Amino acid sequence: TGNGLPRRNYNVKGLLITMWQNILKQNLISNITIRGNETTAMFLDTKTDEKLKMSVSIHDESLDANIIDKEGSQITRAYAEKIDDETFQAKDVRTDPRFIRRGYGENLYHLIAYALVNQGYNFVPDDAQSGEMQQMWDKNTSYGSWDIPDYM
């Protein structure tokens, strides 16, 4: 420019994309508490802005996890089995059909991985899974074990 200041080019489309990416990366899991083999947290449903209770219970040979609504009804549940001294393998995750595609299963798996890593375990996929589950695992794993988001 003629005033001696460097010229700035603003890429509005790029700025909007960056802002949207930051919104999507917000901390959906908060208030994580570990007490022995029990891990609890709160999950933010971004569609309703409700915070829902999440829990993971690690047993000798398996684990159970769930997200429940304010009335105590289970929205999402997951189950995994211990396959060796260092590893739990995902066996099942189910979400109430009214809440599908809102991040419930994926974020429950984030909390499971967090709880297991804090107990010294890895969290790996089942050998037999649907194409949709395989895509979710591919997106969230490196070196074969589920990755924990940086904000956790």
Side-chain angles (χ1 to χ4, degrees), residues 11 39 57 91 115:
N11 179 346
T39 301
S57 300
K91 290 296 178 182

Side-chain angles (χ1 to χ4, degrees), residues 32-40 55-60 62-64 88 111-121:
I32 301 171
T33 304
I34 299 176
R35 289 192 180 98
N37 291 335
E38 300 287 325
T39 301
T40 59
S55 65
V56 177
S57 300
I58 302 172
H59 312 290
D60 289 337
S62 65
L63 75 73
D64 298 297
F88 275 78
L111 187 63
I112 291 168
Y114 183 88
L116 288 173
V117 164
N118 279 284
Q119 297 286 335
Y121 297 105

Side-chain angles (χ1 to χ4, degrees), residues 2-18:
N3 61 9
L5 296 174
R7 183 180 189 140
R8 293 186 185 254
N9 291 322
Y10 291 97
N11 179 346
V12 175
K13 182 178 177 186
L15 180 62
L16 290 174
I17 290 170
T18 302

Side-chain angles (χ1 to χ4, degrees), residues 15-145:
L15 180 62
L16 290 174
I17 290 170
T18 302
M19 289 171 53
W20 183 245
Q21 288 170 335
N22 289 336
I23 290 168
L24 291 176
K25 289 181 180 176
Q26 66 183 314
N27 300 356
L28 298 179
I29 300 172
S30 62
N31 301 345
I32 301 171
T33 304
I34 299 176
R35 289 192 180 98
N37 291 335
E38 300 287 325
T39 301
T40 59
M42 298 303 288
F43 169 70
L44 175 64
D45 181 325
T46 57
K47 184 174 181 179
T48 64
D49 285 331
E50 286 184 277
K51 285 199 168 190
L52 306 169
K53 184 178 179 184
M54 308 172 80
S55 65
V56 177
S57 300
I58 302 172
H59 312 290
D60 289 337
E61 298 298 321
S62 65
L63 75 73
D64 298 297
N66 62 55
I67 299 175
I68 58 172
D69 65 18
K70 292 181 186 205
E71 288 78 40
S73 298
Q74 189 170 290
I75 296 172
T76 300
R77 73 162 192 81
Y79 173 76
E81 293 178 352
K82 189 174 182 182
I83 59 172
D84 61 38
D85 291 340
E86 301 174 349
T87 310
F88 275 78
Q89 184 176 52
K91 290 296 178 182
D92 189 35
V93 63
R94 296 186 189 260
T95 299
D96 181 313
R98 296 172 296 164
F99 299 92
I100 288 178
R101 302 217 186 289
R102 287 167 51 182
Y104 282 75
E106 183 173 12
N107 282 285
L108 188 55
Y109 272 18
H110 289 329
L111 187 63
I112 291 168
Y114 183 88
L116 288 173
V117 164
N118 279 284
Q119 297 286 335
Y121 297 105
N122 295 311
F123 185 43
V124 300
D126 192 352
D127 297 328
Q129 54 185 323
S130 69
E132 188 173 325
M133 285 303 296
Q134 181 65 48
Q135 288 177 343
M136 188 172 80
W137 275 91
D138 289 347
K139 181 175 93 172
N140 288 286
T141 58
S142 57
Y143 306 107
S145 189

